[in-house]
Every structure is written in C-alpha cells, then in structure tokens.
Amino acid sequence: MTLDLFAELEQGMGWREELDAGAVVLRRFALPRQAELFAALERITSQAPLRHMVTPGGFRMSVAMSNCGACGWLSDRSGYRYDALDPHSGKPWPPMPQAFLQLAQDAAAAAGFAGFAPDACLINRYEPGTRLSLHQDKDECDLSAPIVSVSLGVPATFLFGGGQRADKCRRVPLAHGDVVVWGGLARLRYHGVLPIKAAQHPATGSHRINLTFRKAR
DNA sequence: TAGTGGCA
DNA sequence: TTTT
C-alpha cells in the first residue's frame, strides 16, 4: 500500500503542504482500504464504545473518544494518561488494525518520519458544534516520535499554533483523507479544532472522525 | 503542576 | 472576532 500512496501523490491526486519545519499536511491522502478502515472502526467501537471523557477540571469533553492499540489515551478527574486497559470494560483496548497501522506508517514516511511505530490510536468523534480547545500532546514518553492525525468525514478547521498557548495559530482546513503529521521541532506545538459546522459526508453522516496515532511508550 | 471546556 |  505504500506504493499506492506514493503513486497517488505523484499522480497529483494528492499533495503535500509544508506547514512549518516538522509539520506537513498530506492532502487527499490515499485511503486505498477505506472500506476496511471503516469496518475496523466499527469493530473497535463495538468493543470499546466512544464515550465522553471528563477533564481533570471536571468538564465533560464534547468530543467522544475511544482507543485502539497497546495503550489508549484517557482523561478523568485524576488526570491525563495512557493506559493499557479500557476503564469502561476493564479489558485491553482492541488491537490496532493492520489497515490503521499501515496508514499511519505510510503517512509518517510520506511526511519525512520513517520508522514510525505507533502503539496508541485515539479515535475522536466530532458532532456538529463540538470542538477541541488548544492543547499540547505531551503525555507521551517518547517525544521523538511524530503525531499522525487522520481526518475522516465532514471537514474541520485545524488550529496549528506555536510553542506557547498565546502564539498565533494557523487555520488549516481539513477534509476527508487529509492527514496532518507533526514532529521534531513541531512536536510540542499547540493545536486544536474549531467547532465543527453542520454538514454531511457519505462515509460518516454528520460526524467528523479523527484518528490520532502516537507512540505513547 | 494543570490540563484537550464553556461562558462572559 | 479574539482573548482570557
């Protein structure tokens, strides 16, 4: 599938956009296994349902989340962390499907981060009006690995800021099949998602789905 | 340590 | 509309 991706990028069906040093947007990234991707998503969320986590401050997050992979990102009153077990079931998170892993590794490689080995995939489901406010991904042990963020379904505006919350943000429109990869110098950049506008997408209905791949350990 | 929320 |  790696070859399919590069072939598609070369054929001009998709293209790269350099955001800044260490940050790349892959536009209309090849999703050659889209049916497989969504079937896997279905399987994962039937075992580990999407749920609204609570922030340490006690606020319910508007975006519904689940995970797959060796560990999953969690938030509750006691903080942010990664855990091998889903607190909802007490069982391990569903394994990361091969199609997910392949997609993440292909995207990372296309963005200049060869050898990416994610052990966590956070699944975010945005309904119209939901958002993710500005934050840094810094709960991972290995900050040398990039973040790979796959957009599926209805479009969104991604905010890509600087090293401090107050830094100005780039507004990056993201559509189905777009992938943002950031690492290296850009690894700790603040980022977020503006409230999702009401829209329909054939693959997801009114939702936006985001897959965030990380190496947590 | 506080924090990816929501309001004024 | 942007900021805290």
Side-chain angles (χ1 to χ4, degrees), chain A residues 2 27 34 78 120 167 185 194:
Chain A
T2 300
R27 298 286 184 187
Q34 189 172 137
S78 61
D167 291 342
L185 260 26
L194 251 28

PDB file of all heavy atoms in Angstrom, chain A residues 2 27 34 78 120 167 185 194:
ATOM      1  N   THR A   2       2.084   1.097   0.484  1.00  0.00           N
ATOM      2  CA  THR A   2       2.997   2.241   0.466  1.00  0.00           C
ATOM      3  C   THR A   2       3.155   2.770  -0.950  1.00  0.00           C
ATOM      4  O   THR A   2       3.096   3.971  -1.185  1.00  0.00           O
ATOM      5  CB  THR A   2       4.366   1.827   1.028  1.00  0.00           C
ATOM      6  OG1 THR A   2       4.164   1.379   2.361  1.00  0.00           O
ATOM      7  CG2 THR A   2       5.324   2.978   1.025  1.00  0.00           C
ATOM      8  N   ARG A  27      -2.579  16.152   1.662  1.00  0.00           N
ATOM      9  CA  ARG A  27      -3.945  16.403   1.204  1.00  0.00           C
ATOM     10  C   ARG A  27      -4.475  15.235   0.401  1.00  0.00           C
ATOM     11  O   ARG A  27      -3.773  14.691  -0.441  1.00  0.00           O
ATOM     12  CB  ARG A  27      -3.983  17.648   0.319  1.00  0.00           C
ATOM     13  CG  ARG A  27      -3.561  18.912   1.037  1.00  0.00           C
ATOM     14  CD  ARG A  27      -4.650  19.349   1.971  1.00  0.00           C
ATOM     15  NE  ARG A  27      -4.327  20.624   2.616  1.00  0.00           N
ATOM     16  CZ  ARG A  27      -5.071  21.138   3.573  1.00  0.00           C
ATOM     17  NH1 ARG A  27      -6.153  20.514   3.989  1.00  0.00           N
ATOM     18  NH2 ARG A  27      -4.728  22.266   4.133  1.00  0.00           N
ATOM     19  N   GLN A  34     -10.345   2.050   2.376  1.00  0.00           N
ATOM     20  CA  GLN A  34     -11.323   2.814   3.130  1.00  0.00           C
ATOM     21  C   GLN A  34     -12.420   1.939   3.750  1.00  0.00           C
ATOM     22  O   GLN A  34     -12.778   2.118   4.911  1.00  0.00           O
ATOM     23  CB  GLN A  34     -11.963   3.883   2.237  1.00  0.00           C
ATOM     24  CG  GLN A  34     -12.808   4.829   3.022  1.00  0.00           C
ATOM     25  CD  GLN A  34     -13.305   6.029   2.220  1.00  0.00           C
ATOM     26  OE1 GLN A  34     -14.440   6.412   2.330  1.00  0.00           O
ATOM     27  NE2 GLN A  34     -12.444   6.616   1.413  1.00  0.00           N
ATOM     28  N   SER A  78      -8.535  12.416  37.725  1.00  0.00           N
ATOM     29  CA  SER A  78      -7.170  12.279  38.249  1.00  0.00           C
ATOM     30  C   SER A  78      -6.104  12.658  37.232  1.00  0.00           C
ATOM     31  O   SER A  78      -4.919  12.622  37.550  1.00  0.00           O
ATOM     32  CB  SER A  78      -6.946  10.875  38.804  1.00  0.00           C
ATOM     33  OG  SER A  78      -7.122   9.926  37.786  1.00  0.00           O
ATOM     34  N   ALA A 120      -0.450   3.597  20.034  1.00  0.00           N
ATOM     35  CA  ALA A 120      -1.733   4.127  20.512  1.00  0.00           C
ATOM     36  C   ALA A 120      -2.447   4.827  19.369  1.00  0.00           C
ATOM     37  O   ALA A 120      -1.835   5.562  18.598  1.00  0.00           O
ATOM     38  CB  ALA A 120      -1.496   5.110  21.651  1.00  0.00           C
ATOM     39  N   ASP A 167       0.644  32.023  21.353  1.00  0.00           N
ATOM     40  CA  ASP A 167       1.156  32.221  19.986  1.00  0.00           C
ATOM     41  C   ASP A 167       0.025  32.164  18.961  1.00  0.00           C
ATOM     42  O   ASP A 167      -0.959  31.457  19.157  1.00  0.00           O
ATOM     43  CB  ASP A 167       2.203  31.144  19.650  1.00  0.00           C
ATOM     44  CG  ASP A 167       3.481  31.325  20.463  1.00  0.00           C
ATOM     45  OD1 ASP A 167       3.678  32.432  21.001  1.00  0.00           O
ATOM     46  OD2 ASP A 167       4.262  30.354  20.552  1.00  0.00           O
ATOM     47  N   LEU A 185      10.911  19.509  15.544  1.00  0.00           N
ATOM     48  CA  LEU A 185      10.792  20.860  16.101  1.00  0.00           C
ATOM     49  C   LEU A 185       9.337  21.227  16.393  1.00  0.00           C
ATOM     50  O   LEU A 185       9.048  22.086  17.230  1.00  0.00           O
ATOM     51  CB  LEU A 185      11.354  21.876  15.088  1.00  0.00           C
ATOM     52  CG  LEU A 185      12.772  22.422  15.295  1.00  0.00           C
ATOM     53  CD1 LEU A 185      13.669  21.465  16.077  1.00  0.00           C
ATOM     54  CD2 LEU A 185      13.403  22.809  13.975  1.00  0.00           C
ATOM     55  N   LEU A 194     -11.541  23.896  15.663  1.00  0.00           N
ATOM     56  CA  LEU A 194     -12.678  24.820  15.783  1.00  0.00           C
ATOM     57  C   LEU A 194     -13.991  24.034  15.778  1.00  0.00           C
ATOM     58  O   LEU A 194     -14.038  22.921  15.256  1.00  0.00           O
ATOM     59  CB  LEU A 194     -12.645  25.778  14.589  1.00  0.00           C
ATOM     60  CG  LEU A 194     -12.266  27.252  14.788  1.00  0.00           C
ATOM     61  CD1 LEU A 194     -11.340  27.502  15.952  1.00  0.00           C
ATOM     62  CD2 LEU A 194     -11.730  27.832  13.503  1.00  0.00           C
TER      63      LEU A 194
END
